[in-house]
Amino acid sequence: MATLLLLRHGRTTANAEGGLAGRQPVELDDTGRAQAEAVGQRLRGLPLAAVVTSPLIRCRQTLQLALPQATPMVEDGLIECGYGAWEGQPLKKLAKEKLWPVVQQHPSAAVFPDGESMAQMSARAIAAVRAWDARITAEHGPEAVWLACSHGDVIKAIVADALGVHLDLFQRIVADPASVTAIRYTPLRPFLVRLNDTGGDLASLVPPPARRRRRATGPADSDAAVGGGAGATG
């Protein structure tokens, strides 16, 4: 299957001020714009088969700066969690709410007032990336690489699914602004190839041609490398 690169948007004014932006039209701050330009330098050499984005402006701004030649396709399934009445509130204030410990320790049960549940967010985001991955693989082949720009909690939920862990553990995962996370889905299992990468070389994430990486008598794509393997350059 294709390789998915999950890109979190750059830092926003809400991030800098300690607020919960949610689906509000907050934009990148100066640091966020610099982060987007920096990650663009790392991404521009990659042969991206498709670029998909959350509809929110902070993701679209990130891609405009990072990949100005790209034509992103909007995917509503990648939109930020609907935090409802929590949107626009300072995190310090929200930490005093009765729902806060649920969000931290039992997020699968968290339903935001006048918003959606974290379980709903997780389900629609996972369904969206898996559908796109299957489509891109069918159109461009298993060596294709594609990118989806989304939000912290959305990316963490997708990673939790890839790792096969319950949503209640997803708060252990970190997705920093402008970080890149790579997942490769296969018929039997997903592989988390890179997590929260904010500075490494991304060229090694492009799979080599099939004739170089597979032999008829060798392991299948879904097989894990017993002993750890030789790495991307092996």
Side-chain angles (χ1 to χ4, degrees), residues 65-157:
L65 292 167
L67 299 168
Q69 304 304 316
T71 303
M73 293 170 280
V74 173
E75 170 53 61
D76 290 339
L78 294 177
I79 197 169
E80 177 67 285
C81 184
Y83 297 116
W86 277 33
E87 291 188 1
Q89 300 294 319
L91 292 172
K92 289 183 179 180
K93 177 182 177 182
L94 294 174
K96 300 175 183 178
E97 297 285 341
K98 291 183 179 179
L99 183 60
W100 183 267
V102 181
V103 173
Q104 295 297 318
Q105 301 173 33
H106 190 23
S108 65
V111 181
F112 294 97
D114 302 321
E116 71 178 334
S117 70
M118 281 197 152
Q120 289 172 323
M121 174 273 291
S122 174
R124 49 98 169 154
I126 292 164
V129 296
R130 284 180 175 266
W132 273 101
D133 196 76
R135 170 182 167 183
I136 290 166
T137 299
E139 294 178 357
H140 300 278
E143 286 76 43
V145 179
W146 66 285
L147 182 141
C149 186
S150 190
H151 308 271
D153 279 351
V154 175
I155 291 172
K156 288 162 58 177

Side-chain angles (χ1 to χ4, degrees), residues 12 15 33 41 44 72 80 102 109 114 125 136 166 184 221:
T12 67
N15 295 144
R33 287 189 286 271
Q41 295 298 320
R44 284 174 195 165
E80 177 67 285
V102 181
D114 302 321
I136 290 166
H166 198 279
R184 187 169 296 130
D221 285 344

Side-chain angles (χ1 to χ4, degrees), residues 14 19-26 56 58 80-83 87-88 151:
L20 183 64
R23 296 180 180 179
Q24 295 184 328
V26 300
L56 295 182
R58 54 192 183 267
E80 177 67 285
C81 184
Y83 297 116
E87 291 188 1
H151 308 271

